[in-house]
Amino acid sequence: MEERDGGNDDTFKDEISDEKGDDGITVENASVVRNDPVQDGTSPPKVDSPIESLHEKVQKQIIKEGYGKEPSKLSTCFLHYRAWVKSTLHKFEDTWQEQHPTELVLGKEKKQMAGLAIGVASMKSGEKALLHVGWEYGYGEEGSFSFPNVPPMADLLYEVELIGFDEVKEGKARIDMTVEERIEAADRRKKEGNALFSEEKLQEAMQQYEMAIAYMGDDFMFQLFGKYRDMALAVKNPCHLNMAHCLIKLKQYDEAIAQCTIVLSEDENNVKALFRRGKARAALGQTDSARDDLQKARKFAPDDKAVVRELKLLAEHEKEVYQKQKELYKGLFGPRPEPPEPKTSSKNFLVIFFAWFFSLFSRIFKRSGHKSD
């Protein structure tokens, strides 16, 4: 099902509203398409950009340009990466697969992350790069035989995306923050994401939301109860919903569904999560699941015009599909067309020719007989 356009949005509270001047939900505006190179993640990406030497043992090739400035020493960086042994292309780590960004405090990284840290320090927010790291700045002469499993003296390849960073003077990592500090940091990122969204900078907005969510990781949420858990969810869930909003605009429907499902695992009756998941499922042609989500959203928000409109569009789409199928089946199983009238065959032509010849011969014979008398 095609994307339906709606009003733009410049109203930001805890969540991105879906319609200007309305805290309800409605269909989103036109989309912006991602332009990242398509990679499957099983092997290192093929990169044609020039190799930049950052250090004697660390080189970088840019896959996607970032924006803003580079992080300074003691900045807390949030990143995704995949790592391979260069000689065998054995992949030994993938934070994208784990769906949790990694936190790296520049200048306080582990010894085996030294080469990665040098690369990250040269990157800008949103930048994606391929790093070539010598074994001296990786897992060293001995390697690692636990997790991750890296052989001795192994040069490494990293595909890295710097989501963003916080410049805190003391370089405080999340684990050293109080609950209030983590929630405050996440809320600040969420607000920055909303500001970027209002400028239609969807990729940058999503990076801010992802950083906010990184402060609210599963290990952190598992320890929270009562008012602190409520405070954290009041920041975390809107970030997931805002991510889903951006992903729908970018036509990344599967990822949007995943973000909504995270919210629904905490709040099964969340109307915005149901609406946006239903909308994404409809776009993928998952009409039954989409209808279930939208009908449940309507149950909890019976007067919401956007939900009613989306259900109506879904019904119209199903009717249109039914009519097309009906026409198709009619052509397959309907009455056979009348056969065309037969053309004059060669046999009929011969009959006509001999009749004409016999008639001509008869006239000539009669004339000859008439003259002999």
Side-chain angles (χ1 to χ4, degrees):
M1 180 180 292
E2 66 181 84
E3 174 84 2
R4 270 88 66 174
D5 294 344
N8 197 0
D9 171 41
D10 56 6
T11 304
F12 302 95
K13 294 182 181 178
D14 285 340
E15 302 170 13
I16 295 173
S17 299
D18 297 84
E19 184 173 284
K20 186 174 181 179
D22 188 340
D23 288 334
I25 5 181
T26 196
V27 288
E28 284 82 4
N29 203 346
S31 61
V32 178
V33 180
R34 292 189 182 191
N35 54 10
D36 293 2
V38 177
Q39 308 285 352
D40 60 11
T42 57
S43 57
K46 295 179 180 179
V47 187
D48 297 327
S49 60
I51 296 177
E52 178 185 357
S53 182
L54 306 176
H55 183 276
E56 184 183 357
K57 296 294 181 179
V58 183
Q59 290 82 40
K60 181 179 80 168
Q61 290 177 279
I62 295 176
I63 299 172
K64 184 184 72 172
E65 296 284 353
Y67 62 93
K69 60 181 182 179
E70 299 167 356
S72 58
K73 187 176 181 180
L74 298 182
S75 292
T76 301
C77 300
F78 299 91
L79 55 138
H80 274 302
Y81 69 88
R82 298 184 181 99
W84 294 267
V85 175
K86 192 170 186 177
S87 60
T88 62
L89 298 185
H90 163 64
K91 184 171 73 170
F92 59 87
E93 208 162 2
D94 188 342
T95 65
W96 275 291
Q97 197 171 40
E98 297 164 6
Q99 297 185 342
H100 289 294
T102 293
E103 175 187 310
L104 184 68
V105 179
L106 296 180
K108 292 188 176 183
E109 67 277 352
K110 296 177 181 178
K111 184 178 179 181
Q112 61 266 31
M113 307 289 276
L116 178 62
I118 290 170
V120 170
S122 74
M123 298 172 68
K124 299 175 182 178
S125 295
E127 181 178 329
K128 187 181 284 188
L130 181 67
L131 301 179
H132 305 255
V133 177
W135 62 266
E136 298 90 341
Y137 284 78
Y139 286 81
E141 188 174 2
E142 296 182 358
S144 171
F145 292 97
S146 57
F147 179 82
N149 188 356
V150 181
M153 301 177 68
D155 293 339
L156 307 176
L157 292 172
Y158 287 100
E159 179 186 3
V160 188
E161 181 178 19
L162 179 59
I163 300 168
F165 57 89
D166 276 332
E167 288 191 321
V168 183
K169 289 182 180 180
E170 63 272 22
K172 184 180 286 189
R174 286 175 295 176
I175 196 171
D176 298 324
M177 291 182 174
T178 64
V179 171
E180 291 87 349
E181 285 174 335
R182 286 180 73 155
I183 294 173
E184 182 182 349
D187 190 55
R188 184 175 68 253
R189 288 295 179 181
K190 182 195 69 180
K191 290 175 180 176
E192 290 175 5
N194 288 353
L196 289 164
F197 182 92
S198 68
E199 299 173 11
E200 289 293 321
K201 296 178 179 178
L202 302 186
Q203 294 285 1
E204 290 91 335
M206 286 199 301
Q207 286 159 357
Q208 295 301 318
Y209 298 138
E210 195 165 4
M211 285 183 65
I213 292 167
Y215 281 105
M216 307 283 108
D218 293 340
D219 55 340
F220 175 70
M221 297 298 297
F222 184 75
Q223 303 173 44
L224 300 183
F225 299 93
K227 73 171 186 177
Y228 286 114
R229 185 172 181 82
D230 292 340
M231 287 168 60
L233 287 175
V235 176
K236 182 175 181 287
N237 281 351
C239 288
H240 286 297
L241 291 172
N242 295 351
M243 283 276 288
H245 191 127
C246 293
L247 289 163
I248 289 173
K249 282 177 167 285
L250 294 166
K251 301 187 188 299
Q252 303 291 317
Y253 300 117
D254 285 320
E255 296 175 42
I257 289 169
Q259 294 294 326
C260 294
T261 300
I262 292 171
V263 176
L264 291 168
S265 69
E266 292 281 356
D267 180 7
E268 63 180 355
N269 299 329
N270 188 290
V271 175
K272 279 197 173 184
L274 288 166
F275 172 79
R276 289 178 183 166
R277 190 171 72 173
K279 181 178 175 62
R281 284 174 164 174
L284 292 174
Q286 301 171 4
T287 52
D288 291 340
S289 299
R291 190 188 308 104
D292 290 344
D293 281 341
L294 293 168
Q295 286 178 344
K296 190 172 181 180
R298 187 178 183 182
K299 177 182 175 182
F300 295 105
D303 299 325
D304 193 289
K305 295 178 181 179
V307 176
V308 174
R309 186 189 310 127
E310 196 68 24
L311 279 166
K312 183 180 178 182
L313 288 169
L314 185 63
E316 290 174 354
H317 173 74
E318 288 182 302
K319 184 177 180 180
E320 182 181 333
V321 170
Y322 172 76
Q323 290 297 331
K324 288 180 180 179
Q325 291 175 340
K326 187 177 178 181
E327 291 297 321
L328 175 64
Y329 294 146
K330 183 178 178 182
L332 290 174
F333 304 110
R336 295 178 64 182
E338 292 293 328
E341 294 184 5
K343 297 180 180 179
T344 304
S345 66
S346 58
K347 184 177 179 181
N348 291 340
F349 175 78
L350 289 173
V351 171
I352 294 170
F353 174 78
F354 280 115
W356 171 81
F357 181 80
F358 180 76
S359 175
L360 178 64
F361 181 79
S362 297
R363 289 198 297 271
I364 294 172
F365 180 75
K366 285 179 181 181
R367 288 179 183 177
S368 297
H370 179 71
K371 287 180 179 179
S372 63
D373 291 341

